[in-house]
Amino acid sequence: MLHVLFRLGCTILFLVLISCKQKSDEMGHVNKFGKAAVYAELYRPQFHFSPQEKWMNDPNGLLYNDGVYHLFYQYYPDDIVWGPMHWGHATSKDMLHWEHKPIALFPDGHGLIFSGSAVLDSKNTSGFGTAENPPMVAIFTYHNMEKEKAGGSDYQTQGIAYSLDNGDTWVKYDGNPVIGNTDFKDFRDPKVFWNDKANKWTMLLVAGDHLQIWESEDLKNWNKLSEFGKNQGAHGGVWECPDLFPLKVAGTEEVKWVLLISINPGAPNAGSGTQYFIGDFDGTTFTSDQTENRWIDWGTDNYAGVTYNNTPNDERIFIGWMSNWEYARDTPTTPWRSAMTLPRTLSLKKTGETYELINYPLEAFQTLLNPIVHKDIKVAALQQESIPFTHYNQADVSFTTEARQFQLTFKNKLLETLVLILDGDEKQFTLDRSKSGKVDFQENFAKNAQLMPVPNLPEGEFEVRIFMDWSSVELFINGGQYVMTAQLFPNEPYTDLTIANTGKTELLLRDFEVNQVKRVW
């Protein structure tokens, strides 16, 4: 008997040791980027939001309530390519670290759950809650696949749902859809906000090539008020994901209204992009005398971005989907696909007679930075200097300069490169990812260099700041006056930055910094 017990005990001990070794091996596993296996697959973003697995696209329902920032998003839980849309859900208390939550909204008999927004109905106008426990209300587009296949134009309508437990569970309104549709194949993406001018709810909807503005007293019954944009702005594709909000012009008491409209295709560097208009809103109608097309981001990978409702101190926080419909289904990641941009603060400034929308990473990101290099760099005319670092694909690089002619080249041991060029003579910035790593998964991913005009740089010093994660780069020039966002898929981390002076006088980069960015997962 003792012999049997001894053998049983040894067997149990052996199994325990094997289990511990397996766990140790799992924790000790590293990928090509040298990171532990937890949330660290090849190309997994380390300080951007990405789903645990499967497909993600547009941010939805951005809302702050009771100390929590809610991020809902278009989600397909069964594959890493686009499929029947749900609303995924994540929350954060600091906009840095995210907690994944259960799926919030599932398709039903009215259709799939496409993009939309969410509000805190603090006055309980909907009657879904109480004065003591006001509801969160989600407003979204239903997309009926059967009606679409039948060839009609009535397959996109608007529905609502409510939550009484700060977004943990949702109940769909039994009177859905709250706005029907018989006229438009593309009739979607409701953005709702409380309109102080009218003391009612305002809804923005896009209808093919233009914006519609609606109003309601209770979030259930809606009336159309006005339209905008049939003859203004870029029209190379379908309008999507509208947003409208006031901003005070920096240094003044003047207030202007900003309208965001995403468009696909038709962006300046092909595929998807987000344009903006600056104008006025009288409570029913938006007007703008803007004649040129303006873009919140000139890179290829910032789309469908919208802003948070109900933020503390009325801060205007923007998040975009960091991809492009030209190749979103083909990017070489698994078991997830897609990430969001860094959350950015939006502001408005006036340069001469021109209003410009500024977007820049939240101040909170400073807490993630671990300083590695800090010095002034001088490079003689037509010369270059290299700055080695073990992992530029998890870094923040910044400096200030008066120079107008320089080239920055990030490179790894495989000689894969990301090239950034400022050409002051042409007043143009170039982002070239043609040799950045994996680029052949789709023919248009790196077909052309991305170009951004920079006509209004200040005469003196300006800042250049570059956030690079494992599969993305976000470039901010002059505090977010000019911005580019692009995906990258290098086969190894970039470990060298070459600074080339392409001008005829000495290049000075003041306060050149390299900061390692701490992972948030």
mmCIF file of all heavy atoms in Angstrom, residues 4 33 89 155 197 322 328 377 398 446 495:
data_model
loop_
_atom_site.group_PDB
_atom_site.id
_atom_site.type_symbol
_atom_site.label_atom_id
_atom_site.label_comp_id
_atom_site.label_asym_id
_atom_site.label_seq_id
_atom_site.Cartn_x
_atom_site.Cartn_y
_atom_site.Cartn_z
ATOM 1 N N VAL A 4 2.348 1.790 -3.360
ATOM 2 C CA VAL A 4 1.408 2.372 -4.312
ATOM 3 C C VAL A 4 1.246 3.877 -4.079
ATOM 4 O O VAL A 4 1.261 4.680 -5.008
ATOM 5 C CB VAL A 4 0.042 1.676 -4.208
ATOM 6 C CG1 VAL A 4 -0.997 2.398 -5.061
ATOM 7 C CG2 VAL A 4 0.163 0.223 -4.652
ATOM 8 N N PHE A 33 10.402 40.108 -31.935
ATOM 9 C CA PHE A 33 10.627 41.436 -31.385
ATOM 10 C C PHE A 33 11.141 41.355 -29.949
ATOM 11 O O PHE A 33 11.246 42.361 -29.261
ATOM 12 C CB PHE A 33 9.341 42.260 -31.444
ATOM 13 C CG PHE A 33 9.075 42.831 -32.801
ATOM 14 C CD1 PHE A 33 8.671 42.015 -33.835
ATOM 15 C CD2 PHE A 33 9.237 44.175 -33.052
ATOM 16 C CE1 PHE A 33 8.419 42.532 -35.099
ATOM 17 C CE2 PHE A 33 8.987 44.699 -34.315
ATOM 18 C CZ PHE A 33 8.581 43.870 -35.332
ATOM 19 N N HIS A 89 -16.349 45.988 -27.034
ATOM 20 C CA HIS A 89 -16.374 46.951 -25.938
ATOM 21 C C HIS A 89 -15.106 46.832 -25.101
ATOM 22 O O HIS A 89 -14.635 45.718 -24.805
ATOM 23 C CB HIS A 89 -17.601 46.673 -25.051
ATOM 24 C CG HIS A 89 -17.832 47.671 -23.959
ATOM 25 N ND1 HIS A 89 -18.598 47.400 -22.847
ATOM 26 C CD2 HIS A 89 -17.406 48.961 -23.799
ATOM 27 C CE1 HIS A 89 -18.643 48.457 -22.065
ATOM 28 N NE2 HIS A 89 -17.922 49.421 -22.627
ATOM 29 N N TYR A 155 -32.077 49.153 -46.756
ATOM 30 C CA TYR A 155 -31.476 48.164 -45.853
ATOM 31 C C TYR A 155 -30.650 48.780 -44.721
ATOM 32 O O TYR A 155 -30.105 48.051 -43.895
ATOM 33 C CB TYR A 155 -30.633 47.152 -46.631
ATOM 34 C CG TYR A 155 -29.594 47.738 -47.561
ATOM 35 C CD1 TYR A 155 -28.358 48.164 -47.091
ATOM 36 C CD2 TYR A 155 -29.863 47.842 -48.922
ATOM 37 C CE1 TYR A 155 -27.404 48.676 -47.947
ATOM 38 C CE2 TYR A 155 -28.908 48.361 -49.786
ATOM 39 C CZ TYR A 155 -27.691 48.773 -49.302
ATOM 40 O OH TYR A 155 -26.746 49.289 -50.157
ATOM 41 N N LYS A 197 -28.107 74.805 -27.904
ATOM 42 C CA LYS A 197 -28.772 75.890 -28.626
ATOM 43 C C LYS A 197 -30.266 75.632 -28.766
ATOM 44 O O LYS A 197 -31.089 76.551 -28.702
ATOM 45 C CB LYS A 197 -28.139 76.063 -30.015
ATOM 46 C CG LYS A 197 -26.695 76.574 -30.002
ATOM 47 C CD LYS A 197 -26.147 76.632 -31.419
ATOM 48 C CE LYS A 197 -24.710 77.138 -31.445
ATOM 49 N NZ LYS A 197 -24.633 78.570 -31.157
ATOM 50 N N MET A 322 -6.880 52.562 -37.178
ATOM 51 C CA MET A 322 -5.562 52.654 -37.791
ATOM 52 C C MET A 322 -5.429 51.630 -38.930
ATOM 53 O O MET A 322 -4.680 50.660 -38.843
ATOM 54 C CB MET A 322 -4.470 52.458 -36.742
ATOM 55 C CG MET A 322 -3.115 52.940 -37.184
ATOM 56 S SD MET A 322 -2.001 53.410 -35.834
ATOM 57 C CE MET A 322 -2.034 51.963 -34.796
ATOM 58 N N ALA A 328 -7.078 46.524 -45.579
ATOM 59 C CA ALA A 328 -7.354 46.183 -44.176
ATOM 60 C C ALA A 328 -7.537 44.682 -43.965
ATOM 61 O O ALA A 328 -7.150 44.143 -42.922
ATOM 62 C CB ALA A 328 -8.603 46.934 -43.703
ATOM 63 N N ILE A 377 21.853 67.557 -31.468
ATOM 64 C CA ILE A 377 22.580 66.896 -32.555
ATOM 65 C C ILE A 377 22.869 67.921 -33.637
ATOM 66 O O ILE A 377 21.971 68.645 -34.077
ATOM 67 C CB ILE A 377 21.762 65.719 -33.137
ATOM 68 C CG1 ILE A 377 21.645 64.595 -32.099
ATOM 69 C CG2 ILE A 377 22.398 65.191 -34.419
ATOM 70 C CD1 ILE A 377 20.830 63.411 -32.573
ATOM 71 N N SER A 398 11.717 62.569 -30.634
ATOM 72 C CA SER A 398 11.290 63.959 -30.822
ATOM 73 C C SER A 398 12.482 64.894 -30.827
ATOM 74 O O SER A 398 13.553 64.578 -30.292
ATOM 75 C CB SER A 398 10.304 64.368 -29.719
ATOM 76 O OG SER A 398 10.939 64.349 -28.454
ATOM 77 N N ALA A 446 2.214 49.562 -50.349
ATOM 78 C CA ALA A 446 3.408 50.424 -50.398
ATOM 79 C C ALA A 446 3.728 50.834 -51.828
ATOM 80 O O ALA A 446 4.875 51.095 -52.170
ATOM 81 C CB ALA A 446 4.598 49.709 -49.766
ATOM 82 N N THR A 495 16.690 49.237 -35.554
ATOM 83 C CA THR A 495 17.698 49.437 -34.510
ATOM 84 C C THR A 495 18.646 50.597 -34.809
ATOM 85 O O THR A 495 19.583 50.834 -34.050
ATOM 86 C CB THR A 495 18.530 48.156 -34.314
ATOM 87 O OG1 THR A 495 19.091 47.752 -35.582
ATOM 88 C CG2 THR A 495 17.669 47.028 -33.768
#
